[in-house]
Amino acid sequence: MKGFRYVEGTATLALDAAKCNGCKACETVCPHGVLAVRDRKARVVDLDACMECGACALNCERGALSVRSGVGCAAAVIGGWWNGLRGKDDSAACCG
Amino acid sequence: MRPASPDQPFVTGTISTPFVLVPVISTRLSAADRLGAWRVRWRIGRDGYKLDPGLYAIGDPDDLSPVIATANYKLTFDVLRSALDGLSAWIVVLDTAGINVWCAAGKGTFCHGELAGRLLSDHVDQLVSHRKVVVPQLGATGVAAHEVRRLSGFAVVWGPVRAADIPAFLEAGMKATPEMRAPTFTLRDRMRLAPVELVGTFKPLAWVFAACLALAALAVRPLAPLPVLLGGLRNAAPALAAAIGGAVLTPALLPLLPPRMFAAKGAVVGAVLGAALALALRPSPLGVASTLLLSTAGASFVAMGFTGSTPFTSLSGVEREMRRWLPLQIGGAAASVAAMLLGAMLR
């Protein structure tokens, strides 16, 4: 994203290129240009721009993409830890 | 699913269809709409700021008009309808419990099941001759296009990130340019979100201020209301600096602050504010330490909360910065309080 980069080396996005049929759904839904289809195969071209939103994995009909998706939100992470400590379900509230 | 009620303030008329009565909505925002937007940005009555989910019409749509999906957060809906002034379209409002598209998609309420269900229950397939539904790009986290097609027969066309680009997108034959697909995060965007963060600091600030007043009451002799109040304000100044630094200045300066981690960005702002306060108030050496530590640790913590308002932070990244910075923030705040108490005892 123009002018904004976040922490590098943490993204959990993984691509199994063998399953990819080059449909471009992932390239279209990714808001940060993380994926690009070249020679009818998806490639990860900017992993550190990934915000782990999960849109690509959800829209991949072949299940070629996987990511531990969630909201990048400190309040939600604290809520999740807190609920975890109390042995509750880890479905943290969002901030927007 | 119940159809949307025509008895809502933004409805100007109805269109009769063989299946449901479709409310026609205004594209002009009223004074009440603008006041409502301002109110929820300051976190006043934000929960429950919603409208009926269901099918609506803008202008005078026919069987060729575009079908556009959105969430039932009133603020989102207002931005969308004011962007569509002069156009005719069918609007399918999903039930996201009054949450915006991006957060609702992340939570799974803005999703393909809900979208397909609305398209079928409101008989949109009978109202239009095409089979396309425009879904905002940032809804893709909850909507699988292939599932929408399987469940409803409608093909998802990913619309622009910003509602303001929809007219140009439709004009171009439902083609989004790369600019329309990329989220932006301008100073104006960031300042619109800052009040939500600032309001979040009010409650802890009230407790801090109460404690600071109590400390002042113990220290000030002879005991009088005004000196106690001034002493309390002076004691609370670093906490106030932390709140403003973390919730307003860090978001404002976000792209200009070199560190990647929001906690580090906030620490930079908090340290500068703390130094300015120390120069202005000229406390004892222990007071300087206490001021610097609290404004730095506090602003760092508050700034970390802004990760939830941006369109580019990741869960793994936020977890990494919290593991690194939370212990520092807690340690810094504890050391600050210790320095302040020690200073008070030595006096």
Side-chain angles (χ1 to χ4, degrees):
Chain A
M1 198 173 135
K2 225 180 190 172
F4 298 95
R5 298 287 292 186
Y6 193 47
V7 181
E8 309 214 319
T10 60
T12 54
L13 177 71
L15 166 68
D16 182 354
K19 289 184 183 166
C20 174
N21 64 356
C23 79
K24 287 196 175 182
C26 57
E27 188 184 309
T28 311
V29 297
C30 177
H32 294 307
V34 172
L35 295 143
V37 176
R38 287 178 198 157
D39 305 323
R40 304 184 65 185
K41 283 281 178 199
R43 285 162 202 212
V44 177
V45 293
D46 189 1
L47 182 61
D48 285 329
C50 177
M51 60 170 167
E52 304 181 316
C53 71
C56 59
L58 183 71
N59 276 277
C60 180
E61 228 171 330
R62 298 291 190 94
L65 286 154
S66 62
V67 59
R68 188 185 65 119
S69 67
V71 284
C73 166
V77 171
I78 290 178
W81 288 351
W82 181 242
N83 284 337
L85 279 178
R86 295 190 304 168
K88 275 198 171 177
D89 174 36
D90 185 14
S91 52
C94 182
C95 332
Chain B
M1 296 181 191
R2 209 155 47 89
S5 164
D7 189 24
Q8 296 180 86
F10 47 81
V11 176
T12 57
T14 52
I15 294 177
S16 280
T17 73
F19 319 100
V20 281
L21 200 63
V22 183
V24 180
I25 56 184
S26 170
T27 54
R28 300 282 160 84
L29 300 186
S30 68
D33 295 329
R34 289 176 205 281
L35 184 68
W38 180 86
R39 190 166 60 82
V40 294
R41 292 209 184 276
W42 283 92
R43 228 153 118 170
I44 305 165
R46 189 167 61 148
D47 296 333
Y49 195 57
K50 57 188 179 183
L51 63 143
D52 281 1
L55 182 65
Y56 294 86
I58 275 186
D60 186 19
D62 58 21
D63 65 323
L64 296 174
S65 299
V67 177
I68 301 172
T70 191
N72 81 328
Y73 184 31
K74 176 74 170 25
L75 191 62
T76 303
F77 181 71
D78 284 354
V79 169
L80 175 66
R81 65 191 172 99
S82 57
L84 297 180
D85 190 36
L87 299 175
S88 288
W90 302 103
I91 310 293
V92 180
V93 177
L94 307 195
D95 188 358
T96 60
I99 304 291
N100 69 74
V101 171
W102 170 238
C103 281
K107 280 183 180 176
T109 51
F110 189 91
C111 65
H112 39 259
E114 166 73 8
L115 175 58
R118 294 270 163 208
L119 289 169
L120 295 178
S121 73
D122 287 327
H123 303 277
V124 180
D125 53 336
Q126 317 261 329
L127 294 176
V128 295
S129 52
H130 62 80
R131 286 293 173 269
K132 284 180 187 168
V133 56
V134 178
V135 180
Q137 156 110 40
L138 292 182
T141 298
V143 174
H146 55 274
E147 288 296 326
V148 176
R149 196 185 313 119
R150 186 176 68 80
L151 295 167
S152 70
F154 275 78
V156 169
V157 182
W158 296 110
V161 169
R162 286 166 301 276
D165 288 330
I166 292 176
F169 163 81
L170 294 176
E171 187 70 28
M174 293 195 178
K175 290 262 186 310
T177 61
E179 288 74 37
M180 289 180 193
R181 292 209 180 287
T184 48
F185 204 38
T186 62
L187 178 63
R188 196 175 176 181
D189 295 336
R190 302 196 299 276
M191 288 302 93
R192 277 181 174 159
L193 297 168
V196 167
E197 300 298 316
L198 193 61
V199 171
T201 67
F202 286 177
K203 214 171 169 181
L205 272 184
W207 285 106
V208 168
F209 188 56
C212 290
L213 273 180
L215 265 179
L218 289 175
V220 173
R221 289 294 172 271
L223 199 58
L226 191 63
V228 169
L229 185 69
L230 289 176
L233 275 174
R234 191 188 163 99
N235 289 344
L240 203 62
I244 293 169
V248 182
L249 294 179
T250 304
L253 301 171
L254 202 66
L256 303 176
L257 296 164
R260 291 284 172 88
M261 291 186 175
F262 283 46
K265 289 175 190 280
V268 170
V269 172
V272 171
L273 289 180
L277 267 183
L279 280 174
L281 299 176
R282 301 199 166 275
S284 63
L286 274 173
V288 171
S290 170
T291 301
L292 268 174
L293 281 167
L294 192 72
S295 65
T296 306
S300 172
F301 179 77
V302 176
M304 214 165 59
F306 198 63
T307 51
S309 298
T310 77
F312 66 96
T313 50
S314 63
L315 175 60
S316 299
V318 170
E319 283 179 349
R320 175 176 290 186
E321 81 166 276
M322 289 181 70
R323 279 202 201 94
R324 185 172 301 176
W325 280 88
L326 210 50
L328 293 173
Q329 290 156 355
I330 294 169
S336 165
V337 172
M340 188 162 89
L341 293 177
L342 192 63
M345 282 191 290
L346 291 179
R347 210 178 297 143

